[in-house]
């Protein structure tokens, strides 16, 4: 039962990682449009690595605390940089989702 809960939670992060991998150029363009013009691709690769390693770590409880820390390292700047338009309902929901996690 605990594994199912972890799977559902981690599905958010792993799905995000695979989405970024599948549309790398589109994600990089989105990041640039949000103001991340310096080393965008490097930050994107870093985000993918954090999402994959952190997500798999939490899913399989392998160095669980480190996995949670990796996901926090991703979530905090992503929330601040990309989900700060509180006039946009979707961005507000994304902000609240990230904060609640």
């Amino acid at each position: 039962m605990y594994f199912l809960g972890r799977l559902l939670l981690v599905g958010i992060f792993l799905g995000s990682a695979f989405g970024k991998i599948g549309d790398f150029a589109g994600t990089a363009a989105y990041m640039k449009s949000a103001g991340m013009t310096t080393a965008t691709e490097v930050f994107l690769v870093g985000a993918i690595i954090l999402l994959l390693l952190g997500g798999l770590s939490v899913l399989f409880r392998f160095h669980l605390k480190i996995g949670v820390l990796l996901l926090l390292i991703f979530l905090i700047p992503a929330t601040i940089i990309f989900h700060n338009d509180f006039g946009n309902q979707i961005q507000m929901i994304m902000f609240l989702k990230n904060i609640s996690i």
Side-chain angles (χ1 to χ4, degrees):
M1 193 63 156
Y2 291 118
F3 182 79
L4 178 60
R6 287 193 313 273
L7 179 63
L8 292 172
L9 178 65
V10 167
I12 296 168
F13 299 107
L14 296 179
S16 178
F18 289 118
K20 288 169 181 29
I21 293 167
D23 188 18
F24 192 89
T27 304
Y30 171 73
M31 291 170 70
K32 288 177 183 174
S33 75
M36 290 193 68
T37 57
T38 306
T40 305
E41 288 79 10
V42 173
F43 281 109
L44 180 52
V45 169
I48 291 168
I49 290 169
L50 290 171
L51 288 165
L52 288 174
L53 291 179
L56 291 172
S57 170
V58 170
L59 180 61
F60 295 111
R61 299 191 68 193
F62 180 76
H63 297 288
L64 182 61
K65 290 181 182 180
I66 293 172
V68 170
L69 181 61
L70 293 175
L71 294 175
L72 279 173
I73 291 170
F74 166 78
L75 273 176
I76 292 170
T79 302
I80 292 168
I81 295 168
F82 299 107
H83 305 304
N84 57 18
D85 180 7
F86 300 128
N88 179 331
Q89 185 178 9
I90 298 293
Q91 293 302 317
M92 175 63 92
I93 291 168
M94 298 296 282
F95 176 85
L96 292 172
K97 174 203 49 116
N98 286 5
I99 295 300
S100 68
I101 291 173

